[in-house]
Amino acid sequence: VSAAKLCSARNCSLREKMLVSALSLLSGGGASAAQQARYHKNAFPPGERLDLRVYLSEWPRFRDFNNTEPIWHVSGLLHANDAPQQSTTVQVPVTGHLIANGSLFAHAFITREGRSPDPAATGSYDPWATTTLTQALVVHGARPEPLGLRKLTTGEPAPWEEELRRGAVAAAIAGQPPDRWVPHWKPALHLSLIVDFEPHELFRGMPPHYQHHLLQRRLMDRDGTYKPLLYSNELTVMRQHWLAINDSAVSPTELPLELSWSPMGVKRFAWMQQLEASFKMNEDKLGISEKESEDMRGMFVHTPPALLYTTMGVSAVHLLFDVLFRATSP
């Protein structure tokens, strides 16, 4: 029988209780709690079922759950690295608000199964069972120019190239200057949930960029507990794919929106963040044009990693032999 049980079985003085507590700590009784306190804790357990809801709103802050239906609702998502990807495509009506250069935002909520993202839902809402992301779907900028891209197999123009040419012709007929800024629709929203079950030491062992995003989005508590990070992969949405909303006489009545969800590891998230920073630095400091930057993005993002690494390896070997040949040639 332990000293703690003996003390609980009879009345002990304050001095005896202090002695029992000290003996318990020395014998390892409090090691488990101390061990847990030294590491961050993910508020979403591994392998748990999750629900995904995506709403659209004209405002960057969303609270109208009762009067708004989600454009996409998926149940039974698995909180794991090998969870299958989910995707769909919806048609979004072009409203007078959009035609008048208004904004539109996508609000994505991932909750633990059975929980509600609505703070007004008494009994089913838990702030530590919900992680969210807001992404603008309308951006303003000059019209992208067609690049002459074609399919390698058939030689047909890329689908977005036809849209760019049509918009350029309509703008020229309307007498609009080529550099005029117009609202554009971003036709894709690729969501990734950062899956992280590593035992990060409290406020030390977590990767700095990852911890920065958690703190910036207010997903981490003071005791080190954190909610999973919901990330929008903007690298896969090329500027050439943007659709002008209201700058021609034949503006569409509906706009397509491709939605997808997939898990993403912390290392891949770090790689994506590094790519974004590198492209931004190349544009700002090295004077690389936006077209060249987009071409590089497409190569890194859309090329399978195995093929990309193989190409880089072959290029490095070719460069090595080229240097050796020049060094040995008279």
Side-chain angles (χ1 to χ4, degrees), residues 171-188:
I173 294 176
Q176 299 174 358
D179 58 348
R180 176 187 176 185
W181 278 38
V182 295
H184 290 85
W185 176 257
K186 298 169 73 172

Side-chain angles (χ1 to χ4, degrees), residues 117-132:
D118 185 4
T122 305
S124 62
Y125 173 75
D126 180 2
W128 284 99
T130 302
T131 185
T132 181

Side-chain angles (χ1 to χ4, degrees), residues 1-169:
V1 181
S2 64
K5 291 183 178 179
L6 287 175
C7 190
S8 61
R10 62 184 180 86
N11 294 328
C12 296
S13 64
L14 178 61
R15 182 176 180 180
E16 290 174 328
K17 290 181 179 180
M18 293 177 63
L19 179 60
V20 168
S21 298
L23 291 174
S24 178
L25 288 175
L26 290 176
S27 62
S32 178
Q35 184 79 3
Q36 294 178 1
R38 288 200 301 266
Y39 290 90
H40 290 281
K41 178 184 177 183
N42 195 325
F44 287 33
E48 187 174 28
R49 298 289 177 175
L50 308 173
D51 295 336
L52 168 64
R53 298 175 180 88
V54 179
Y55 299 86
L56 296 183
S57 168
E58 299 175 359
W59 307 99
R61 190 178 182 88
F62 183 75
R63 286 291 183 267
D64 195 14
F65 291 94
N66 292 331
N67 301 317
T68 308
E69 290 293 329
I71 62 169
W72 194 29
H73 185 188
V74 184
S75 300
L77 298 176
L78 192 62
H79 188 205
N81 285 301
D82 57 352
Q85 179 177 340
Q86 304 288 334
S87 63
T88 189
T89 300
V90 299
Q91 298 295 325
V92 180
V94 178
T95 62
H97 174 79
L98 287 177
I99 295 178
N101 297 335
S103 300
L104 194 67
F105 298 88
H107 307 273
F109 297 87
I110 287 187
T111 62
R112 298 173 66 175
E113 190 174 42
R115 293 290 184 172
S116 171
D118 185 4
T122 305
S124 62
Y125 173 75
D126 180 2
W128 284 99
T130 302
T131 185
T132 181
L133 171 73
T134 297
Q135 182 67 43
L137 297 177
V138 177
V139 291
H140 292 75
R143 179 190 301 279
E145 297 181 0
L147 301 178
L149 301 178
R150 295 180 177 272
K151 297 181 180 180
L152 291 177
T153 54
T154 62
E156 298 177 355
W160 58 87
E161 291 280 312
E162 292 292 338
E163 178 66 22
L164 292 178
R165 290 193 183 94
R166 182 199 61 79
V169 171

Side-chain angles (χ1 to χ4, degrees), residues 67 106 218 280 282:
N67 301 317
R218 298 181 179 180
K280 182 65 175 176
N282 291 338

